[in-house]
C-alpha cells in the first residue's frame, strides 16, 4: 500500500525537476551566445592594439640607432667632405646593427652621396625629394614605398650637429636613410614577434569573421600617406563557443532520453529492490541479499552492506580466535619469563644461603660464588632484553648515527667473542669483504654491534661443535653492506622460519630449554635492523645449521682514507698514591667499590650526592679520576659534570650507571663523560678503565 502511494510522488518529483532543468538549459544557451559575441569583439580590439604595439617595438631599435647616428658631428663633417673611407669604416659597417638591406646618405641639397646596399636591393637612388622636405620639418619619419625589388620599409632622419637642441629649427646638414626589403625573412621575423600568420596584400580586403580565428589589418602608407599595401595578421581564437553549444544540445538530448528511461524503469529499478530490502531486513534471507546485489545503483550498495555485515560477523569470530591465540602466546611468554627469572634468582638465593649458613671449603665457596656471578649476569641480560623490547614497543628507539671504522668495529667484535668461546670446541672464523672499505661509514655502531652479538650468541648456543662464521661484504653497486652469521649447529625447522623474528614465539626444543633465555634476541635484532633501514632473512635446515643474512645501507662519511686499528690487549699500568673520587649515594655500592679496590694504593674519597662531587673536584686539585654515579640526590651525574668540566677539563670522569640500553650509552657519551661502566660492576672492567685513564704506576691485584 505504501509503495503505491509513493509512486505518484516520485513521478511529480521527476516532472518538476525536468521543468527546472529545461529552464536552466535555455538560460545557459542564451548566456553562452551573448558571451561569445562579447568575447570575440573584445579579443579583436586587444589583437589590433597588440599588433600596433609590437610593430612599434619592432621599429624602435632602428629609430634609436638612426637618431644617434644623425646627431653626430663626424657625420655632419662627412656630408661636407664626402670622405668615403670614413663612411665605409663607420656607417657602412652598420647594416647588421640596423638589420637592414640598404643604407643611403644625401647632402643638404638632397643630392645622392653614397649607399651601402646588399644583394637584395640594387637600385641606386630611389628616395623621393619630398620625403626629405618632410624630414626638414619632423626630423625622423618611417614610411613604405615600392621599388623595382619590391615594397620596402624606409626610415629616414635629418642629419644635424650634436649641439643642435632642436633639429627642425636649424638648416639640415644632410639626410640618412635605413631601408628594409619586405621579403620572406622580414615576414617570418614579424610572424615570430607577433605570434601570428601574416599575409601581404596590395588591396583593401573585407575582414572575414571566423569563430576560430581573429584578424587584424595593418595599413602600409608612403611619405605622403598614400596606400601602398596591407599586412593581414591572423591568429587562432582558442575560445570555442560552438563546442559549448554542442555540449548543451547533447545534454538536452541525453536528458530527454534519461527521462524516458526513468519513467519506463521506475517500477523495475525502485519497487522490486525495495521489496528485496524488506525481505532481507525481516527474515535475513540470503537469497534476497544475493538478488539485491545484482541490482543497480544504491540498492546494490545496500546489498553489499548486508553482505559486509555478514562478513564482519565472520571476521569478528576470526579476530576473537586470533586474540585468544595472542593471549595464549603472551601467557606462555610470561610463564617462560617467570621461569627464566626464577632460575637465576633461585641459584643466587640458594648458593648465597649455603655460603652464609653452612661450613664449606674455600674451593666450594669459590665455585658457589662463580655460580652466583653467572646467574646474576643472566638475570641482568633478561632484564636488559625486557627493557629494550619495551622501548621498541613504545617507539622510543631512534638511530644514533656516527662515523664508524667498519673493519675496526668487526675486528673488535671478532676478537672479543673469540676470547669468550676459547674453551668451546668451535672453529670461529671471520670472512672480510673482498672489496676493501677505504672510507669510514655512517651508521649506529652500537645497534649494529648488538645485532651481530645477538646472532653470534645464538649461533654459539646452538652449536655444540663445528664452526661459526661471521662475514661481511661491501656492495658498492647497490650501496649496501651485507652481513652473514653462519653456524653448523642444530638448525631450525622450516615451519618455524616465518615466526623466528616474532617476540612472543620461540622454537621449543631440548637444547633451547637447556640454554634458556626469553627468545627476544632475534626480535630485538630485527627491530634494530629495521631502524637502520635494512633487512634480515634466514636460511636453515634441521641438522645442517643456520645462516642469518642481514643488510644495512652503505653510507660513506667524508672521503678520508682510514687505517684499520688492531685490537690490542689491555695493558695493566700501575699507579701510586693517586686519588679517586667515588660519587655514590648508595652505601652498599660504595662498599663494593671499597672491597674491590682495598688491595690497591689508591686513595679513595667519597661524595654522597652530585653537589658534594662538584665541591670536591673544585676544592681538591689532587683528585686524579672520578667515578660518577648518574642517579644521585640534590644533583645528578649529568648536572655535576656540567659544572666540573669548565673548571677541570682534563679530569677523567667515568660514568657509573644502572642504565644499560644503547640510547642511554649514547647520551652519556654525548654529555662529555670520559667513559662509562655499567652496573652490576665488573671488577676486571673497572681496573681496565682505571689503567686506561691513570698514567702513573701503582701496584694492585686484579
Amino acid at each position: 500500500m505504501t509503495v503505491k502511494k509513493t509512486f505518484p510522488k516520485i513521478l511529480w518529483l521527476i516532472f518538476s525537476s525536468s521543468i527546472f532543468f529545461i529552464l536552466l538549459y535555455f538560460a545557459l544557451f542564451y548566456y553562452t551566445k551573448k558571451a561569445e559575441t562579447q568575447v570575440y569583439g573584445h579579443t579583436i580590439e586587444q589583437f589590433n592594439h597588440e599588433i600596433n604595439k609590437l610593430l612599434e617595438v619592432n621599429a624602435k631599435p632602428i629609430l634609436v640607432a638612426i637618431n644617434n647616428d644623425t646627431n653626430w658631428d663626424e657625420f655632419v663633417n662627412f656630408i661636407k667632405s664626402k670622405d668615403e673611407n670614413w663612411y665605409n669604416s663607420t656607417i657602412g659597417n652598420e647594416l647588421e646593427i640596423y638589420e637592414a638591406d640598404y643604407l643611403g646618405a644625401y647632402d643638404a641639397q638632397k643630392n645622392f652621396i653614397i649607399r651601402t646596399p646588399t644583394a637584395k636591393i640594387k637600385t641606386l637612388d630611389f628616395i623621393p625629394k619630398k620625403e626629405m622636405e618632410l624630414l626638414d620639418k619632423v626630423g625622423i619619419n618611417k614610411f613604405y614605398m615600392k621599388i623595382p625589388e619590391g615594397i620596402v620599409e624606409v626610415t629616414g632622419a635629418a642629419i644635424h650637429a650634436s649641439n643642435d637642441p632642436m633639429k627642425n629649427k636649424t638648416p639640415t646638414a644632410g639626410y640618412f636613410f635605413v631601408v628594409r626589403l619586405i621579403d620572406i625573412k622580414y615576414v617570418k621575423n614579424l610572424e615570430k614577434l607577433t605570434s601570428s600568420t601574416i599575409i601581404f596584400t596590395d588591396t583593401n580586403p573585407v575582414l572575414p569573421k571566423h569563430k576560430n580565428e581573429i584578424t587584424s589589418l595593418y595599413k602600409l602608407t608612403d611619405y605622403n600617406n598614400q596606400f601602398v599595401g596591407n599586412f593581414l595578421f591572423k591568429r587562432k581564437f582558442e575560445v570555442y563557443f560552438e563546442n559549448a553549444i554542442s555540449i548543451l544540445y547533447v545534454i538536452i538530448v541525453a536528458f530527454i532520453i534519461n527521462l524516458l528511461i526513468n519513467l519506463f524503469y521506475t517500477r523495475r529499478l525502485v519497487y522490486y529492490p525495495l521489496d528485496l530490502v524488506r525481505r532481507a531486513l525481516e527474515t535475513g534471507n540470503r537469497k534476497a541479499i544475493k538478488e539485491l546485489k545484482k541490482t543497480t545503483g544504491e540498492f546494490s550498495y545496500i546489498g553489499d552492506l548486508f553482505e559486509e555485515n555478514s562478513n564482519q560477523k565472520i571476521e569478528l569470530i576470526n579476530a576473537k580466535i586470533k586474540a585468544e591465540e595472542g593471549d595464549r602466546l603472551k601467557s606462555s611468554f610470561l610463564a617462560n619469563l617467570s621461569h627464566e627469572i626464577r632460575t637465576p634468582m633461585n641459584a643466587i638465593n640458594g648458593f648465597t644461603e649455603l655460603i652464609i649458613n653452612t661450613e664449606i671449603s674455600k674451593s666450594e665457596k669459590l665455585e658457589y660464588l662463580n655460580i652466583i656471578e653467572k646467574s646474576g649476569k643472566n638475570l641482568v641480560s633478561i632484564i636488559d632484553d625486557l627493557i629494550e623490547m619495551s622501548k621498541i614497543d613504545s617507539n622510543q628507539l631512534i638511530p644514533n648515527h656516527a662515523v664508524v671504522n667498519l673493519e675496526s668495529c668487526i675486528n673488535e667484535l671478532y676478537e672479543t667473542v673469540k676470547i669468550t668461546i676459547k674453551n668451546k670446541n668451535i672453529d670461529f672464523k671471520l670472512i672480510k669483504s673482498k672489496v676493501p672499505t677505504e672510507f669510514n661509514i655512517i651508521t649506529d655502531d652500537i645497534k649494529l654491534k648488538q645485532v651481530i652479538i645477538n646472532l653470534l650468541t645464538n649461533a654459539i648456543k646452538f652449536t655444540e661443535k663445528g664452526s661459526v662464521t661471521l662475514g661481511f661484504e661491501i656492495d658498492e653497486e647497490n650501496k649496501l653492506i651485507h652481513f652473514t652469521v653462519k653456524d653448523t649447529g642444530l638448525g631450525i625447522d622450516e615451519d618455524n622460519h616465518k615466526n623466528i623474528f616474532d617476540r612472543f614465539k620461540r622454537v621449543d626444543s631440548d637444547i633451547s630449554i637447556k640454554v634458556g633465555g626469553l627468545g627476544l634476541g632475534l626480535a630485538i635484532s630485527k627491530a634494530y635492523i629495521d631502524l637502520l633501514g635494512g633487512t634480515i632473512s634466514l636460511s636453515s635446515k634441521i641438522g645442517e645449521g643456520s645462516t642469518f643474512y642481514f643488510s644495512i645501507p652503505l653510507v660513506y662519511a667524508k672521503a678520508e682514507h682510514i687505517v684499520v686499528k688492531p685490537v690490542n690487549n689491555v695493558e695493566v699500568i700501575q699507579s701510586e698514591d693517586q686519588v679517586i673520587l667515588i660519587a655514590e649515594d648508595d652505601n652498599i655500592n660504595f662498599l663494593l667499590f671499597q672491597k674491590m679496590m682495598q688491595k690497591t694504593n689508591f686513595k679513595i674519597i667519597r661524595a654522597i650526592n652530585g653537589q658534594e662531587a662538584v665541591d670536591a673536584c673544585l676544592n681538591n686539585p689532587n683528585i686524579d679520576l672520578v667515578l660518577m654515579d648518574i642517579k644521585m640526590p640534590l644533583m645528578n651525574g649529568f648536572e655535576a659534570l656540567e659544572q666540573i668540566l669548565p673548571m677541570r677539563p682534563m679530569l677523567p670522569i667515568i660514568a657509573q650507571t644502572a642504565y644499560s640500553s644503547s640510547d642511554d650509552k649514547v647520551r652519556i657519551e654525548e654529555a662529555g663523560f670520559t667513559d662509562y661502566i655499567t652496573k652490576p660492576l665488573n671488577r676486571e672492567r673497572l681496573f681496565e678503565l682505571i689503567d686506561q685513564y691513570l698514567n702513573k704506576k701503582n701496584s694492585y691485584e686484579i
Side-chain angles (χ1 to χ4, degrees):
M1 196 66 161
T2 305
V3 173
K4 292 182 179 179
K5 290 182 179 179
T6 305
F7 183 67
K9 295 180 180 179
I10 294 178
L11 291 179
W12 169 248
L13 180 63
I14 294 174
F15 177 74
S16 59
S17 61
S18 302
I19 296 297
F20 172 78
F21 181 83
I22 292 171
L23 293 175
L24 179 63
Y25 166 79
F26 283 110
L28 288 174
F29 184 86
Y30 171 77
Y31 173 78
T32 301
K33 296 297 290 182
K34 185 176 180 181
E36 177 182 3
T37 303
Q38 291 178 347
V39 170
Y40 188 84
H42 182 66
T43 305
I44 289 290
E45 291 178 5
Q46 280 190 326
F47 189 42
N48 289 331
H49 180 72
E50 179 184 346
I51 292 299
N52 288 325
K53 288 294 182 182
L54 289 174
L55 289 176
E56 288 179 10
V57 170
N58 186 45
K60 190 71 175 179
I62 294 178
L63 294 174
V64 172
I66 199 171
N67 183 63
N68 290 336
D69 283 345
T70 56
N71 193 27
W72 189 12
D73 293 340
E74 291 187 15
F75 208 164
V76 173
N77 295 335
F78 163 74
I79 296 299
K80 297 175 181 178
S81 66
K82 298 179 175 56
D83 183 358
E84 293 187 7
N85 291 329
W86 178 89
Y87 177 85
N88 291 330
S89 62
T90 54
I91 303 300
N93 290 329
E94 293 185 352
L95 273 174
E96 292 184 0
I97 296 176
Y98 284 105
E99 296 182 357
D101 301 306
Y102 177 97
L103 302 177
Y106 291 77
D107 60 16
Q109 289 73 38
K110 304 176 179 56
N111 296 318
F112 174 77
I113 300 175
I114 194 170
R115 67 167 184 164
T116 304
T118 63
K120 293 182 180 180
I121 298 178
K122 296 181 180 179
T123 304
L124 180 63
D125 177 17
F126 53 82
I127 304 299
K129 305 298 182 185
K130 291 186 178 181
E131 163 60 14
M132 300 180 200
E133 294 174 359
L134 180 62
L135 291 179
D136 290 334
K137 300 177 181 178
V138 299
I140 296 177
N141 184 40
K142 186 185 81 169
F143 63 96
Y144 298 88
M145 64 178 295
K146 288 184 179 180
I147 63 173
E149 288 80 2
I151 295 178
V152 294
E153 175 195 87
V154 182
T155 305
I159 301 171
H160 291 264
S162 60
N163 60 358
D164 182 4
M166 300 180 66
K167 292 184 178 182
N168 59 345
K169 297 298 182 181
T170 59
T172 301
Y175 308 93
F176 180 60
F177 295 93
V178 177
V179 181
R180 293 195 295 183
L181 180 65
I182 299 178
D183 56 3
I184 294 176
K185 180 181 178 183
Y186 181 96
V187 172
K188 290 295 182 184
N189 289 336
L190 202 56
E191 286 181 338
K192 185 176 181 182
L193 176 66
T194 60
S195 302
S196 307
T197 301
I198 301 175
I199 299 174
F200 177 79
T201 174
D202 56 0
T203 61
N204 284 314
V206 178
L207 294 181
K209 183 177 180 181
H210 298 288
K211 291 184 178 181
N212 300 333
E213 184 180 74
I214 55 176
T215 57
S216 177
L217 198 64
Y218 185 81
K219 188 176 181 181
L220 307 180
T221 59
D222 61 9
Y223 66 92
N224 202 25
N225 205 28
Q226 296 298 313
F227 175 78
V228 175
N230 284 311
F231 278 145
L232 180 60
F233 294 85
K234 294 183 178 182
R235 184 184 292 175
K236 289 183 179 180
F237 183 53
E238 301 295 341
V239 183
Y240 300 118
F241 282 94
E242 64 272 16
N243 290 344
I245 299 300
S246 300
I247 291 172
L248 288 174
Y249 286 135
V250 170
I251 290 174
I252 192 64
V253 172
F255 169 75
I256 294 173
I257 294 173
N258 184 62
L259 179 62
L260 294 175
I261 292 174
N262 282 336
L263 291 173
F264 183 75
Y265 286 103
T266 295
R267 185 176 296 277
R268 179 180 175 184
L269 298 179
V270 176
Y271 298 104
Y272 176 67
L274 283 176
D275 182 61
L276 293 175
V277 170
R278 179 186 58 77
R279 288 160 55 191
L281 288 173
E282 290 177 354
T283 63
N285 191 315
R286 297 191 63 85
K287 183 178 179 182
I289 294 174
K290 187 176 180 180
E291 292 181 5
L292 189 61
K293 284 189 63 181
K294 293 179 181 180
T295 61
T296 59
E298 294 298 324
F299 293 108
S300 176
Y301 175 67
I302 293 171
D304 290 335
L305 290 178
F306 281 128
E307 187 175 59
E308 185 178 346
N309 181 57
S310 178
N311 293 336
Q312 284 177 350
K313 290 180 181 178
I314 297 174
E315 289 176 1
L316 286 173
I317 294 172
N318 294 333
K320 181 182 178 183
I321 295 172
K322 188 175 181 180
E324 290 173 350
E325 173 68 10
D327 289 340
R328 187 186 66 78
L329 290 173
K330 288 182 180 179
S331 298
S332 175
F333 173 78
L334 292 174
N336 183 48
L337 172 62
S338 175
H339 174 268
E340 294 298 332
I341 290 178
R342 288 176 181 275
T343 298
M345 285 299 298
N346 180 61
I348 292 170
N349 293 336
F351 284 103
T352 301
E353 185 179 357
L354 285 175
I355 293 173
I356 295 173
N357 298 325
T358 62
E359 296 208 5
I360 55 177
S361 64
K362 186 176 181 179
S363 61
E364 286 178 318
K365 182 178 180 180
L366 183 61
E367 179 185 358
Y368 294 170
L369 289 173
N370 286 333
I371 292 172
I372 291 171
E373 180 187 23
K374 183 178 179 181
S375 298
K377 289 180 178 179
N378 289 340
L379 186 59
V380 170
S381 176
I382 291 170
I383 293 172
D384 286 344
D385 283 351
L386 288 172
I387 293 173
E388 204 65 13
M389 187 54 66
S390 175
K391 288 187 175 183
I392 291 170
D393 287 338
S394 59
N395 294 322
Q396 292 182 4
L397 288 183
I398 57 172
N400 297 293
H401 291 108
V403 177
V404 180
N405 184 321
L406 182 61
E407 288 205 22
S408 295
C409 176
I410 300 301
N411 286 342
E412 180 184 347
L413 278 176
Y414 173 71
E415 294 295 337
T416 302
V417 176
K418 187 176 181 181
I419 292 173
T420 62
I421 64 169
K422 59 184 179 181
N423 295 326
K424 296 195 70 172
N425 187 22
I426 293 176
D427 181 18
F428 184 37
K429 294 179 287 186
L430 172 64
I431 301 176
K432 296 185 178 181
S433 174
K434 296 177 183 177
V435 179
T437 51
E438 297 182 356
F439 306 102
N440 288 328
I441 65 168
I442 296 178
T443 190
D444 188 330
D445 60 324
I446 294 176
K447 291 181 175 59
L448 174 61
K449 288 179 181 178
Q450 190 62 52
V451 170
I452 297 174
I453 289 173
N454 288 349
L455 296 178
L456 287 175
T457 301
N458 273 0
I460 292 167
K461 275 184 183 180
F462 296 99
T463 303
E464 292 291 334
K465 62 179 180 178
S467 65
V468 173
T469 304
L470 168 63
F472 71 97
E473 187 68 35
I474 302 298
D475 185 353
E476 292 278 2
E477 181 179 354
N478 297 309
K479 298 298 180 184
L480 293 171
I481 309 173
H482 303 293
F483 295 88
T484 58
V485 176
K486 182 177 181 181
D487 65 69
T488 59
L490 178 66
I492 303 170
D493 187 86
E494 190 172 350
D495 292 338
N496 291 313
H497 286 191
K498 61 182 179 180
N499 300 323
I500 197 68
F501 298 108
D502 291 351
R503 60 196 64 185
F504 294 131
K505 295 183 180 179
R506 76 172 189 174
V507 180
D508 290 325
S509 65
D510 293 339
I511 295 180
S512 64
I513 295 172
K514 179 181 176 182
V515 299
L518 297 177
L520 293 177
L522 290 178
I524 293 173
S525 297
K526 185 178 186 306
Y528 282 175
I529 292 170
D530 291 342
L531 192 67
L532 296 177
T535 57
I536 186 170
S537 60
L538 163 69
S539 173
S540 181
K541 289 185 178 180
I542 294 292
E544 297 182 9
S546 304
T547 303
F548 284 87
Y549 307 90
F550 74 92
S551 303
I552 62 172
L554 172 62
V555 181
Y556 283 121
K558 292 182 180 179
E560 298 176 358
H561 288 279
I562 63 173
V563 177
V564 179
K565 301 177 182 178
V567 179
N568 297 324
N569 293 327
V570 177
E571 282 188 20
V572 178
I573 60 173
Q574 298 177 336
S575 179
E576 185 176 350
D577 297 327
Q578 291 180 308
V579 180
I580 298 177
L581 171 65
I582 299 177
E584 175 60 69
D585 64 312
D586 187 87
N587 292 329
I588 294 176
N589 285 338
F590 179 70
L591 177 62
L592 181 59
F593 274 113
Q594 283 185 311
K595 295 300 181 183
M596 285 183 175
M597 303 174 69
Q598 64 184 355
K599 293 185 180 181
T600 67
N601 293 328
F602 295 121
K603 181 180 178 181
I604 306 298
I605 61 176
R606 180 188 183 188
I608 62 173
N609 57 56
Q611 185 60 57
E612 286 191 8
V614 172
D615 295 339
C617 290
L618 298 184
N619 297 325
N620 189 348
N622 296 322
I623 293 176
D624 298 294
L625 184 139
V626 179
L627 293 170
M628 180 78 72
D629 189 18
I630 293 297
K631 188 175 181 181
M632 293 186 295
L634 295 183
M635 185 184 296
N636 64 37
F638 291 111
E639 295 168 339
L641 178 72
E642 289 180 0
Q643 297 194 26
I644 296 172
L645 277 183
M647 305 303 295
R648 299 194 61 179
M650 303 305 294
L651 178 63
I653 303 177
I654 298 173
Q656 42 148 331
T657 176
Y659 305 124
S660 60
S661 72
S662 58
D663 292 336
D664 296 322
K665 294 173 184 176
V666 169
R667 184 186 174 199
I668 289 171
E669 292 174 354
E670 291 178 348
F673 282 98
T674 310
D675 214 318
Y676 68 91
I677 184 170
T678 59
K679 298 176 182 178
L681 295 174
N682 181 291
R683 187 167 180 265
E684 183 178 350
R685 173 62 177 163
L686 175 63
F687 287 128
E688 178 185 321
L689 291 174
I690 294 174
D691 287 336
Q692 183 177 352
Y693 295 109
L694 292 182
N695 296 322
K696 295 182 180 180
K697 293 185 178 180
N698 183 40
S699 60
Y700 58 89
E701 295 180 4
I702 296 181

